[in-house]
Amino acid sequence: MQQEHVKSEQAATWHSMTLFGLALFSFFIMCAGYYSAYELDAFPDETAHLGYILNVIDKGFPDYKEGKDPKVGRNQKLNYLKHPALYYVFTGNALRFFHSDKFQDHKRFRLANVFFSTLTLLVIYASIRRLGLNPWSLCMGFFFIFTFPMFVALSASINNDPLMILGCALVTFSFVELIRHERPLVALILFLMGFVITFLTKATGALT
């Protein structure tokens, strides 16, 4: 009986990992479609977010006082966004580390959000597995995420929402660890990580 239970657990793990791999593959394909189909500034506030990232690459921090929106024809307009700096600092420094000055096309900066959303999907996968749900629950969960077009669109554009969503996913995961597995220290660490990421990325996200 014990061997059968172990085999059943192994089979469920294999099925869930396979389904998650297919979900990630589908996500990357959809992101590639949005990435290639829409030029820079096709999404709301994209160049305004880009302006702060370029500030970080040049100066180390977003220029909230005199920052310019780099959109063509609007070079002299002050950047109107007032979001917290975490997304811009993290993305700008990561791009600077990878020598972003060699990128002729700023569309490549969108890849940072593909990375953040991939982490979010990993956290959601871990939450579903820790809840002990069957593989088909995993499949249905990702199906509903992918049928909500804004998730993929945000992941394939330059904005701070995917990092905020990652923070919210970590907070949710913390409750799973606390209620389902009674691990208060792990839950507290996950909660604090999620809250700090959310609060320092988008103040409105912390209110949720």
Side-chain angles (χ1 to χ4, degrees):
M1 290 292 293
Q2 187 174 2
Q3 288 182 342
E4 291 180 0
H5 178 72
V6 171
K7 288 181 179 180
S8 177
E9 286 290 323
Q10 290 176 341
T13 300
W14 172 253
H15 290 156
S16 66
M17 290 179 64
T18 302
L19 289 171
F20 179 64
L22 291 173
L24 276 184
F25 179 75
S26 301
F27 170 69
F28 292 145
I29 292 296
M30 288 186 285
C31 283
Y34 275 96
Y35 180 96
S36 59
Y38 295 95
E39 295 301 320
L40 198 64
D41 197 37
F43 299 100
D45 300 326
E46 190 166 32
T47 57
H49 288 292
L50 173 61
Y52 284 147
I53 294 173
L54 294 175
N55 288 159
V56 172
I57 293 172
D58 293 336
K59 307 174 183 178
F61 201 79
D63 188 348
Y64 290 109
K65 186 177 181 180
E66 298 180 351
K68 302 295 191 299
D69 185 328
K71 182 178 179 180
V72 176
R74 218 199 308 171
N75 290 331
Q76 300 306 312
K77 181 175 181 178
L78 292 174
N79 200 330
Y80 51 87
L81 297 178
K82 302 298 181 184
H83 296 301
L86 183 61
Y87 167 72
Y88 310 114
V89 170
F90 187 93
T91 304
N93 282 298
L95 292 168
R96 182 163 55 179
F97 177 80
F98 288 108
H99 304 289
S100 61
D101 55 313
K102 296 180 181 179
F103 294 170
Q104 299 298 318
D105 184 2
H106 287 150
K107 279 179 66 175
R108 297 187 187 185
F109 290 11
R110 292 173 172 176
L111 297 177
N113 277 349
V114 176
F115 172 73
F116 292 139
S117 292
T118 300
L119 292 180
T120 297
L121 294 177
L122 283 168
V123 172
I124 293 172
Y125 169 74
S127 298
I128 292 174
R129 290 289 296 160
R130 296 293 282 173
L131 285 170
L133 302 178
N134 64 56
W136 294 111
S137 299
L138 175 74
C139 186
M140 291 301 297
F142 284 115
F143 173 78
F144 285 119
I145 291 172
F146 295 154
T147 53
F148 184 66
M150 281 303 295
F151 179 79
V152 179
L154 290 170
S155 302
S157 60
I158 300 172
N159 64 88
N160 57 358
D161 287 290
L163 185 57
M164 178 198 71
I165 294 170
L166 173 59
C168 293
L170 286 169
V171 169
T172 302
F173 190 24
S174 74
F175 293 133
V176 172
E177 287 295 315
L178 180 62
I179 297 171
R180 186 76 176 184
H181 296 276
E182 298 182 353
R183 300 203 298 175
L185 180 59
V186 174
L188 178 62
I189 292 172
L190 289 169
F191 178 84
L192 292 176
M193 285 175 57
F195 180 79
V196 169
I197 288 172
T198 304
F199 186 78
L200 295 181
T201 301
K202 201 167 186 177
T204 52
L207 298 177
T208 62

